[in-house]
Amino acid sequence: MNELEAEIRYLKEELDRKKEEISDLRKLLGREIDREFAPPVEELSDKELADYLRDTIPLINGFVETKPDIRAITSHRKTLGRPVVFLKRALLKTTFTQLNASLDLQNRFNRDQSRFNRQVAALFRTLHVRDGRRAERLKALEEKVAGYEEDLALLRNKLEGLNAAARLRGGSADEPPR
Amino acid sequence: MKMKNGSLMTGAGLAEAVGEILRRKGIQAAVNELMKREVALGLRKPTLAVYDHAFHFIGGAQKYGLTMISALKDLFDITILANRDIGYGKFREWYDLDLSSIPVKVIPLPYFDERKAVNLDPALVSRDIENPFHRISRESGRYDVFVNNSMNEMVFPLACVSVLICHFPERRPRSYFYADQYTRVVCNSRYTAEWIGKKWGFAPHRLLYPPVDMEAGGIDVPKKKIILSATRFEPEGFKRQREMIGAFLKLCRQRPEAVGGWKFILAGGSQPGNPYLAGLKDMIAGEAGGCVELKVNVTAAELKSLYREAALFWHMCGVKREDPGETEHFGMTTVEAMQNAVVPLVYDGGGLPEIVDHGVNGFLVGSTAELLERTLALIGDPAKTEALGRAAWKKSRLFSRSNFETTARSIFGEVLNLLVSPETSIPG
């Protein structure tokens, strides 16, 4: 084994040992590997669209109401804790009173928006169900049409056979042409 | 001593170069650099791992991956990566391949095992859970070349050079989508290539048609009055056997003088308790004369015998379907029929138009009505049927196992060049 080969083996063993300690792929690669993808809704097939609606509707049904709460302000300090909390709460109460007015407005808007989202989701679901029923009816009709097309193809073939037979008979010496 | 790009190949310089890669691109890139140098210096044979999450099932895609392994075993030290235990006997029984010299490494996936899932379906994996296939991703980093033969784009390749064999892009990019992270993407048909472009937004690098080897005894064997269908009885009815049986029964009822003596035989595999198959049995139960026969789970020898005797081949998978995944991505059984001079009458969609040249070596049809018209024309013209059968046999040579092996070796020759190329430092 030459010097280079020995060096490669040594470095590889070292790195392999370090690698074993890392479980996260991102750390192995030194970069992020996952990305967000938005599906092209207008290109989805019926099946893909059904899956998309199933996954998406619960997301838009969500609603978060935000409002600051001064009770969240606490302290672990034994002696200084209580006055500090008191001062902080007093200071923030003044700020929160003004902030709350704006947040009430925002929350009201969020509630309306959420209600609207739920209605849109319900509408989507209804349209999808109706579309499914129409697709079923269309499928049944297509099957009927396919059946008629088959009948037509067989009749056409039979007619061709009869015509050929008639031509053959018409051309024979025993029978005059009709 | 210097590599082609001028990087130092002495022991001292190497440590510095690898240290720099470690800082800039992470530990995997540094390991890959060392592995690359081992191969470039001829210190060892390159290693290659082939993964398929469905190796424990019989299937066309699995046959594709394993035949590829058989073709490459002289070029690489190969390891088969599977998620479930599988014996070499199965490979021989299912695909007539002797891979006993290739080690199989089983990597269990607890997420699926805990749920007792038979199919390790990637569609079940969402962003809300940790990617169970990361175990395979980690393993991929131990080899010079990693080949993902699964219909599973959730494995992130860590090897220096990676190849994704895409049999069809089943899902659009969503959580854990890594198909575009592979060095090379190989597809099985132009139809698949088209949908890779539409769904994933890039073009595959190479096309490698699947290997088909079903020749059962030359093309001069006298044919019987048999129309054959050979495809799985899928519970969802994707393969459209119901439509074909309906059309043939109509043919028998309305034109008995034209199809006297002809039989329609449908051969295919099925799982137990298949309601679709039960429905097909009901369809033909009341028919006098037994002009339709179902042959379920036949042996390879029986199937070969059917191919040898049949004159015409019907395959309508894809008719009246909107989802591109429900159409034949290639159509191996159509090629199998053609290898036995059986004239194909197949649906004009999916990968089938790449196999059949309309009017030259078979017919492409858009509906069951057209299928009946073409069939009647061929039944009435045995000379034309024979000529088309010969042309079909000739075309089928394109998809032979030897052609597959030659192309596979060419593709992996390029992969080897990439591996030793100083420019290749993937991932990073």
Side-chain angles (χ1 to χ4, degrees), chain B residues 188-240:
Chain B
N188 60 344
S189 67
R190 289 202 298 271
Y191 178 69
T192 297
E194 183 191 326
W195 278 98
I196 290 175
K198 282 181 184 168
K199 282 190 168 183
W200 291 352
F202 62 84
H205 300 90
R206 291 288 298 264
L207 166 64
L208 175 61
Y209 281 120
V212 186
D213 46 1
M214 190 48 86
E215 282 197 52
I219 56 166
D220 294 321
V221 180
K223 295 292 187 183
K224 292 184 179 171
K225 290 181 172 183
I226 293 173
I227 298 172
L228 181 66
S229 156
T231 189
R232 271 190 313 278
F233 295 99
E234 302 266 20
E236 298 84 1
F238 291 152
K239 303 290 185 176
R240 321 307 278 170

Side-chain angles (χ1 to χ4, degrees), chain B residues 56-75:
Chain B
H56 54 290
F57 289 122
I58 182 169
Q62 290 67 43
K63 179 181 180 179
Y64 188 111
L66 293 167
T67 309
M68 195 174 65
I69 291 172
S70 175
L72 302 176
K73 57 188 176 187
D74 297 335
L75 290 173

Side-chain angles (χ1 to χ4, degrees), chain B residues 23 36 56 59 84 90 106 119 255 298 395 402 410 420:
Chain B
R23 272 189 297 280
K36 246 177 73 171
H56 54 290
R84 297 274 162 85
K90 286 287 176 200
V106 177
N119 295 318
R255 298 298 317 278
V298 292
K395 174 76 189 277
S402 65
S410 144
V420 293

Side-chain angles (χ1 to χ4, degrees), chain A residues 68-74 84-100:
Chain A
D69 184 1
I70 56 168
R71 282 171 303 180
I73 299 162
T74 54
V84 166
V85 167
F86 175 77
L87 278 173
K88 269 191 184 172
R89 283 185 176 177
L91 186 69
L92 287 174
K93 202 171 179 179
T94 326
T95 319
F96 285 180
T97 311
Q98 289 174 351
L99 195 61
N100 274 341

